[in-house]
Amino acid sequence: MQEIKRRGLMYVMSSPSGAGKTTITRALLNTNDDLVMSVSATTRTRRAGEVHGQDYYFVSVDEFRELIDAKEMLEHAKVFENYYGTPREPVEKALSEGKDVIFDIDWQGTQQLGEMAREDLVTVFILPPARAELEKRLRTRSRDTKESEADIRGRMSKAADEMSHYSEYDYVIINNDVEEAIRKAQLILDSERLKRRRMVGLSDFVRGLKEGL
Ligand SMILES: Nc1nc2c(ncn2[C@@H]2O[C@H](COP(=O)(O)OP(=O)(O)O)[C@@H](O)[C@H]2O)c(=O)[nH]1
Ligand SMILES: [Mg+2]
């Protein structure tokens, strides 16, 4: 049988911080061999435990500007007081190898990717189950990073801004049970992978089937 290849897709996960996006993304990466993470560049300071080149590429504002000027960013945005952007080359390489790429980016970046590659883009917005839960998760996190009450308030209001963009996404997952949320994220990925428009060489294949009939 003639092999039908598949176009890689760009799988975007957005959420307010504290909704469980990182846990879901990691779970998908662990169980999908042909899925790779897009590692962003950022000007924000590295948190304890974060690894350069793995969690982010930590760069200066000048370096970030140079990457933009050299057209090496697929998209970029200012989030909070810092710059974040997606390096172009690793994404293009992975897609050309038939792999899927997963992105942890905000709504601004998602809009930019949508303008350049809507057909290859699948977008998911993750929501926390309740306000109290979101606040609890943000507070637990800030205990580790020793944030002030004002920082936490800042995060809460940023979470509200981010959440107002949920309706721009293809799918919304409400994360009240993380295993269930992971299952849904996998289901979306599996079904999207099966879309006809991602099958390369399908018309030739069908022509072959019809030959001589
Ligand atoms: N547009 C865009 N947003 C990004 C990128 N990388 C991370 N972000 C977003 O920036 C926000 C802040 O991320 P981070 O500093 O890791 O803090 P977090 O809220 O604890 O995850 C999150 O909403 C990320 O999704 C990127 O390359 N482009
Ligand atoms: Mg994050």
Side-chain angles (χ1 to χ4, degrees), residues 9-10 15 24 31 35-36 60 75 97 107 122 132 144 149 172 179 182 195 206-207 209 211:
L9 59 85
M10 311 207 300
S15 74
I24 296 169
T31 51
L35 183 67
V36 296
S60 67
E75 60 75 30
E97 290 168 354
W107 63 272
V122 178
D144 311 331
E149 186 62 29
V172 169
E179 288 310 319
I182 293 166
K195 283 237 165 109
V206 174
R207 195 173 307 124
L209 291 176
E211 238 158 52

Side-chain angles (χ1 to χ4, degrees), residues 17 21 40 44 47 56 75 84-86 104-106 141:
S17 97
K21 172 181 51 180
S40 297
R44 87 150 157 72
R47 295 178 192 146
Y56 282 106
E75 60 75 30
Y84 295 83
T86 302
D104 170 347
I105 61 175
D106 80 333
R141 179 176 306 190

Side-chain angles (χ1 to χ4, degrees), residues 91-194:
V91 174
E92 291 181 345
K93 181 168 175 288
L95 291 175
S96 73
E97 290 168 354
K99 291 177 182 155
D100 303 313
V101 183
I102 190 164
F103 299 80
D104 170 347
I105 61 175
D106 80 333
W107 63 272
Q108 304 174 80
T110 308
Q111 283 186 354
Q112 291 171 48
L113 294 187
E115 281 159 21
M116 72 182 83
R118 193 63 190 89
E119 290 279 280
D120 293 333
L121 195 66
V122 178
T123 62
V124 179
F125 199 90
I126 316 229
L127 286 173
R131 189 196 151 84
E133 181 66 19
L134 178 67
E135 189 159 351
K136 195 178 94 193
R137 290 183 198 173
L138 286 177
R139 285 185 186 280
T140 312
R141 179 176 306 190
S142 62
R143 262 209 307 276
D144 311 331
T145 53
K146 300 192 179 58
E147 279 178 328
S148 68
E149 186 62 29
D151 288 332
I152 296 167
R153 287 285 133 216
R155 277 183 181 278
M156 290 297 282
S157 93
K158 198 200 133 229
D161 287 348
E162 182 76 22
M163 281 192 290
S164 62
H165 291 275
Y166 76 92
S167 62
E168 295 159 22
Y169 285 72
D170 299 326
Y171 301 89
V172 169
I173 296 176
I174 299 172
N175 182 14
N176 49 23
D177 174 300
V178 73
E179 288 310 319
E180 182 70 8
I182 293 166
R183 206 179 62 79
K184 287 177 180 165
Q186 182 70 57
L187 258 174
I188 293 167
L189 181 58
D190 288 338
S191 332
E192 286 286 346
R193 281 171 164 169
L194 294 171

Side-chain angles (χ1 to χ4, degrees), residues 10-34:
M10 311 207 300
Y11 197 33
V12 170
M13 296 268 172
S14 296
S15 74
S17 97
K21 172 181 51 180
T22 308
T23 314
I24 296 169
T25 307
R26 284 204 187 126
L28 293 182
L29 286 165
N30 281 339
T31 51
N32 292 268
D33 288 340
D34 39 7

